[in-house]
Amino acid sequence: MTIQIRKGKRATEPQCLGSQRSLNSEDLLFPNQTGDSKAAVYFQLSNGRFRPPPAHRLIAHHIVDTIAPIFFRVSRTMWLPLRLTLLLLFLLLSPRALLRSGSAAVVSGEEEEFHEELLLKPLPDRKVLAHFHFHSIAPPSKSNGRHHHLFPKAISQLVLFPSSVPFAMWSDLDLILNFLFRLLNNCFSSSRKYDVFLIVFALIGVIVGEFLSFGQVQKFRVKEMELSFTQGRWNYERWGGFDPISSNNAKPPGVELWAVFDVPEDQVDAYWKNLTNSLSGLFCASINFLESSTMYSAPKWSFRITPGRLRYGTLPREAVCTENLTPWLKLLPCRDKAGLAALLDRPSIYKGFYHSQRLYLTSNASVPAETVSGISLEQTLTVVLQPNSPSSSSIHSGESNFQPSWSLSSIFGRKISGKCVLAQSSIVYLQLEKSIFSEQKDNMDNGPNSLASEGFAGGSGFEMSLDPDIVIEEENQSQHKGSSVLYGFWVEKYNESQPFDLGLKWKYPVFWSSRQAPLHASRFLMGSGNERGAIAILFKSANSADSSSGSRHVSDGCELQVDVFQVVPWYIKVYYHSLQIFVDDEAKPIGDFVHKIQVSPSKDKTSPGMMEMLLKLPCDVRSAALTLEFDKGFLHIDEYPPDANQGYDIPSAVISFPSFHSVMHLLSNDSIRKSPLLSRFQEKNRVQSYTEVLLVPLTTPDFSMPYNVITITCTVFALFFGSLLNVLRRRVGEEERYLKAGKKKGWLRVLLSRLLAKLRGKPMEEPDQPSSESAPLIGKKLVLKVILVAVLAVAWQFYST
Amino acid sequence: MAEVEKKEVAAATPPWKPKPRPIVRLGIVLISHSLLVSVVCCTAGVVALFLLPMLAKNTYISENALMPGSASSMLSNDDISEAERLAKDLTSLNSGAADAGIERRRVLAKYLSDLGVEVGYHKFEPHQNQFHPLHFFSSPDSGLSRENGSCSSYGINVVGIIRAPQADGKEAIVLVTPFNFRKNSSSEALSISIGYAVFSLLSRVTWLAKDIIWLVADSQYGEYASVASWLRDYHIPVFSASSSHNADSCFEGNNINLLREESLDRTEISSGFRRAGTMAAALVLKVTDVKGQLEDTLSVYAEASNGQMPNLDLINVVNYLAVHRQGLRVKVEKFLSVLRWEWIWVLGDTLNFIGKVAGSLNPEWKFGISTPDYVEGTATLANSLYRQALGIPTGPHGAFRDFQVDAITLEISPKVVYTNQGRRNEFILRSARLIEGVVRSVNNLLEKFHQSFFLYLLTSPAKFVSVGVYMIGFALLVAPLPLVAASLYVDANKPDPSSQGPKHKLQINFKPWKWLSAAKQVFTVHAWGVFVSLLPYFISQIPNSTPAAHSIIWFSLSTFGLLVLYLITKSHSKPQKGEWENLKSVTISVVFIGLLLMSVVNFATAQIGALVLVPACLLAQPLKLDIRDASLKSFLRIACNVFISFVAFPPVGFFVLKGVNEGFGDMDVGEFWTWLESLWAWNSATYIYIGMVHLPCWVLCLHILLHSC
């Protein structure tokens, strides 16, 4: 239940004047008419996101009416400086907020919406998928300018309002003028002439402020954006690769960000950089590393079909934890204090096998013609959890066939005690595969066949602790085994005293398998050593068992389209000419299967290599493999990360199947149209999957040996300079003369040499006469040497800087 | 070395005369006293080698991230009992039945898939290592093995992979347990028990950061072959399977189909190759029955091909956990015969005594080591050197090293063959906890192993000699070679021995190209060496012959080749003055270069080779001269020369070593052939060394000895 606010009821007068907050219409206190204490709590938590009363304009005028007299009462009694500062403060800080409420009130056609939904789905390998889906919609910007009541402002600022800005300004001006005329009236009536200057000053201030904020709104002109934080891997084989959840919500480990901008092509990079930095701050993650041009790429057609100025970047090594979840939750109106998000008990959701929080933002605000929705923000959290089976040893005792029974409280350790009051709808779905029912039919022939009554009537293999409010069946168009049944539960029926705690209990062992993408893609590294290697992408037909036996003859000339999008960092130097294709264990010419390929080779330290490829494989293909050879590059010493010896990541490749769409054909129902989750499921999205992240060991220097390096360098230098000095300084003739002179003087030395000569049994030798006069002081060779050294030194100087 | 040089400088102050630069002067001094220098250096080198056990340092865990033993073990008795159930199921199958192997694999795969892990079969064709002269030093090549074999000779490994729940799957740890699916063996069943207990625990834990791969290697064609072929398929898969197509077809009829049948009933057992990320480390686990042990022991094998060793930290972790946590006795292989040598004990006593005396003089000098420790250390060191020098991996872990993965083999042997289930469980618990601890430590690693040593010799499980220490002995041994070569050259090119006197001895009188004829001779002999080392490839093609016949053919062909060469290149002129000196000088230079190169490839081979070749080369002098001289000194030299050149002949050296180790009982000529065959089959660089450095140099030494000057 939302809080009812009676139209036309005036708010109580704001009490304090000088404070900015009291004048902020977002913070205006609407007294709780229902007297519900809980609602008051919500109010405090979701500060500033209340549904706007339609009587906004009235309120705003009321404020103007009340403020002006108060202001002038003060100004008459107090002296000028105080008044001046107060006025300035007031004018600079308050008008924007004050006027905004007015502008919002000008047109209030549509309202902002918030929906919360949760999809629970048992997975074939005894795990449970929980998919939280929060959807906020802000109506087209014409109606409410730059301020929102439910929609998070931080997100809305990422989106551009090109058409609305001038409009908002003019509507603002209308109010500003109104306000100023009143001031003028008051002031002339009080015959204080110099207040006119103040007013003119204030007017200038208002206009300047208006233009400043105009610049701010334009900071990121994001048309479409998706940001995901993922921990763990989606198991395509067991958890399915065809349904909408695996196509949309299975993401590569770490952070993935892509955004479409609404700016000219030459400005996209600059906008991307701004966006990464602000998202980095918003989500406490190192998204700002995507700023560097070596980290992102601009796929043309393989990643998204819709053309646009797209940038794509991933951070495979980003660790995801609560520090990323908290800011994400802050975007929800009720945070995790009420509604479905209250289930998000941190230890239990991070204990799971897969955890992916995602934020998907679209805006068509820039397209004036379309008025359906302004900004829509889709926040999803997909977790795969292992329900606590009653005893872990049951695996050992042969009862492994049983699916574990679970309930919300056993999975999350919490229960839902009612919906988020601000949400339009709050629904929990339980999705079960239809094949379960068919199998049960096989198991017991006399079971009831009506699907709707079967699940919860107690006559079948499972039992739900609550009766569903709605049962939605997937239309069984083609005879795919992946079709499913959805049980819906309205959360609003439950409250604190009677919390919502859905439980599922299995009576018989059941088996089913999730629907697979047409080809299962895996990627791995080939080769060993620090020199070179190869990347291989291997496609395997998901239903190889079937196709090998029967369906071969069915498909003649049928083609299976596969899009491959692969980004490789620059230090992995991929030789794209070495692309090889093996189809069904035979090497094939590339031209036979590669329909379209676009490659942008990497530039050292500038941009990553990117490959987009459209493959057309025969439908009955059993396996196909792509290999690309690469050389491992060398990094500069300061480019090594702190954990250089771990190796370097190659981000996931994106494999999509343009001719396959992950669509759930639900029997149309009124309730489905309202539910954003189900309408999302019914959208036609192509089947998409991500491959593994690869780890490439590169050569790394031994960082722990700076001492050795210093020693060796010093030795080399000492040797170099020593010999250089010798070459430059030494004169053999001089030395000999000195030697002789020294010998004549030192009697001790003569004695010693004699003694030595005696010891060695040789006659004392006479010193030779200097055989030749010393060579000309500056010989040719010496000059040459000096020049050589000088050239070396210059070259060294030149190249080292 | 530096000390010796200083001594030399002090002893021989050069006479006053226009002097060249100091460094040249020093060189001249050393060359002129090359005899003294070489004697001192060689002695010092040998002494340094024997001092190594004393200089060994205690191992320590260098990488902080490993944190061995900091977490308490989570392994419970449930895991053990479940593992024992598996072992019982495996052994209870009738081993005589034809499809017992398939049935065993199926049971194992069933157990694994019940754990919820990914299971896959890996079929491989074991290939004999074939000698191929051009494939030395090349990286493991997948193309090598793709030869048609008969359908019956296929092995199937069972692979289980745990995907770490919260990790990104970039890295993996490999556990290997060799298991012969065809045979019932209690010790192998025990190793499967241990492996399964660990694996089932790891499939439940939440702290995994790396994927775990358990490879149950089909050991019916040898442990190494199965692991190596799995690794080859992991790293260098072949997509175009044109040659293995028929292999597939006979597989279909054979056993994979039987295995597939089961895979259809909803478990995801696929015959497709399953992969995890880059391997961080690998542990090979074996259980052996060794009679007459006092306690449960753990033997660590680490040597991979060409003397490569895994990072010392891996051994340290195993050693630390085994000794301090599980109370197992850790041992490293050693030469038992060394323990019987009296003189080693005497040497140990002497060193001990010296150490004690030094300690009494100054308590700071604590280099004493007790005699048994010294002897044990020497035996281990000798084995360590020998194993590295052979260049043959000591277990399946060697296959991992070829792909730059650190791996060791852990061979656990129980005290007795356990019949009591409780005792048996306790043994499994201890071993499994050890493995768990090691896996957990490696799992903690953020980076790959890089902190600790890769070049070391073990003197005991907890002591090692690092490269900086053991290089000294080798350097001392090799150092005199260039000096002697230079001095010989100077001697040979003296203008006139009688005219001038010693004063002009050091004046290097360059007569270029005089050494060229000697170099030609040396080159010819080395070419012959190449020919000899290539011969076995052709000889091994001869069908139906024994190793003894092979070696005899080889020997006679080589001798024949040498004779032909001799006849061709024989100079008819009278031997010139200084000819043998020149020849010896060039020979020594070549030996020096060869030893240095070999020390880079495989240090241990170079070290052992230097021990033999350096004295042989330095002492070589024409027997005629010595006989003419007829003094005690020359007599001694003759004796030494004859002895060394006898021992340095590779076959003789081999048999002498073997005799010393195992007693001179039964000797077969064929053994040498088999030994060499194993060397080339494992691509050991030692084979190249023997064929291209050692043998030619031995022939040249012989040539010098018999020189008619």
Side-chain angles (χ1 to χ4, degrees), chain A residues 242 518 559-562 656-662 684 686-687:
Chain A
F242 203 93
E559 275 182 334
L560 180 63
Q561 290 189 17
V562 185
S656 48
F657 304 94
S659 48
F660 288 84
H661 299 282
S662 59
K684 251 192 161 187
R686 56 184 188 166
V687 174

Side-chain angles (χ1 to χ4, degrees), chain A residues 18 92 181 264 302 341 478 514 684:
Chain A
L92 286 177
F181 281 131
S302 60
S478 50
S514 303
K684 251 192 161 187

Side-chain angles (χ1 to χ4, degrees), chain A residues 233 237-238 350-353 396 511 524 526-527 529 540 582 585 625 627 645-646 649 695 730 753 760 765, chain B residues 13 15-16 21 85 116 164-167 169-171 211 235 239-241 274 278 404 446-448 450:
Chain A
R233 291 158 281 172
E237 274 177 72
R238 295 185 180 180
Y350 282 102
K351 210 169 59 186
F353 287 74
H396 300 316
F511 308 104
F524 53 89
M526 289 164 46
K540 281 212 158 168
F582 301 90
D585 296 340
T627 60
N645 273 299
Q646 191 190 350
D649 296 322
L695 187 71
R730 203 160 166 210
S753 62
R760 302 180 75 184
E765 60 185 273
Chain B
T13 320
W16 297 113
R21 309 249 303 274
R85 215 158 59 82
Q166 285 147 41
K170 290 185 293 198
E171 290 174 281
D211 291 355
H235 285 107
F239 296 111
S240 61
R274 287 184 177 275
T278 312
Q404 278 86 43
L446 288 175
E447 309 175 61
K448 66 183 180 202
H450 70 283

Side-chain angles (χ1 to χ4, degrees), chain B residues 91-284:
Chain B
T91 44
S92 64
L93 286 168
N94 184 10
S95 59
D99 59 347
I102 297 160
E103 196 53 45
R104 286 212 178 92
R105 284 185 193 99
R106 187 179 293 173
V107 168
L108 184 63
K110 173 85 174 57
Y111 269 81
L112 287 180
S113 65
D114 281 352
L115 286 179
V117 305
E118 290 178 17
V119 191
Y121 296 113
H122 167 245
K123 54 177 180 174
F124 65 95
E125 33 188 324
H127 70 281
Q128 286 316 111
N129 280 320
Q130 290 289 328
F131 174 71
H132 207 286
L134 298 178
H135 279 167
F136 274 101
F137 304 121
S138 64
S139 57
D141 183 14
S142 59
L144 256 178
S145 62
R146 313 284 153 174
E147 283 156 25
N148 293 343
S150 59
C151 279
S152 57
S153 65
Y154 281 92
I156 301 178
N157 297 328
V158 180
V159 185
I161 299 180
I162 300 171
R163 304 280 176 199
Q166 285 147 41
D168 44 11
K170 290 185 293 198
E171 290 174 281
I173 304 170
V174 187
L175 278 179
V176 181
T177 13
F179 184 72
N180 192 344
F181 288 98
R182 287 254 170 98
K183 237 174 34 182
N184 257 338
S185 151
S186 64
S187 57
E188 279 192 336
L190 204 55
S191 70
I192 286 281
S193 281
I194 297 169
Y196 183 80
V198 176
F199 200 64
S200 69
L201 170 77
L202 293 178
S203 70
R204 282 183 282 118
V205 295
T206 49
W207 43 257
L208 277 186
K210 298 175 166 71
D211 291 355
I212 308 287
I213 305 175
W214 187 27
L215 173 69
V216 182
D218 190 356
S219 64
Q220 56 178 321
Y221 303 108
E223 292 161 2
Y224 186 90
S226 55
V227 177
S229 60
W230 179 76
L231 275 171
R232 225 179 1 253
D233 283 351
Y234 193 100
H235 285 107
I236 323 165
V238 173
F239 296 111
S240 61
S242 53
S243 63
S244 70
H245 227 61
N246 55 349
D248 254 340
S249 62
C250 68
F251 238 131
E252 300 293 330
N254 198 349
N255 28 21
I256 272 286
N257 253 9
L258 288 168
L259 289 168
R260 254 190 210 143
E261 253 173 49
E262 196 238 356
S263 74
L264 279 181
D265 63 315
R266 101 224 155 226
T267 47
E268 306 93 348
I269 301 167
S270 67
S271 59
F273 198 89
R274 287 184 177 275
R275 284 187 177 76
T278 312
M279 293 176 194
L283 293 173
V284 182

Side-chain angles (χ1 to χ4, degrees), chain B residues 137 304-308 388 390-393 598 601-603 682-686:
Chain B
F137 304 121
S305 57
N306 280 326
Q308 298 181 80
Q388 289 190 20
L390 268 191
I392 299 175
M598 197 56 211
V601 178
N602 187 346
F603 175 80
W682 294 100
N683 277 0
S684 170
T686 308

Side-chain angles (χ1 to χ4, degrees), chain B residues 462-474:
Chain B
K463 282 195 159 189
F464 74 104
V465 186
S466 82
V467 57
V469 176
Y470 68 60
M471 275 302 281
I472 295 173
F474 177 71

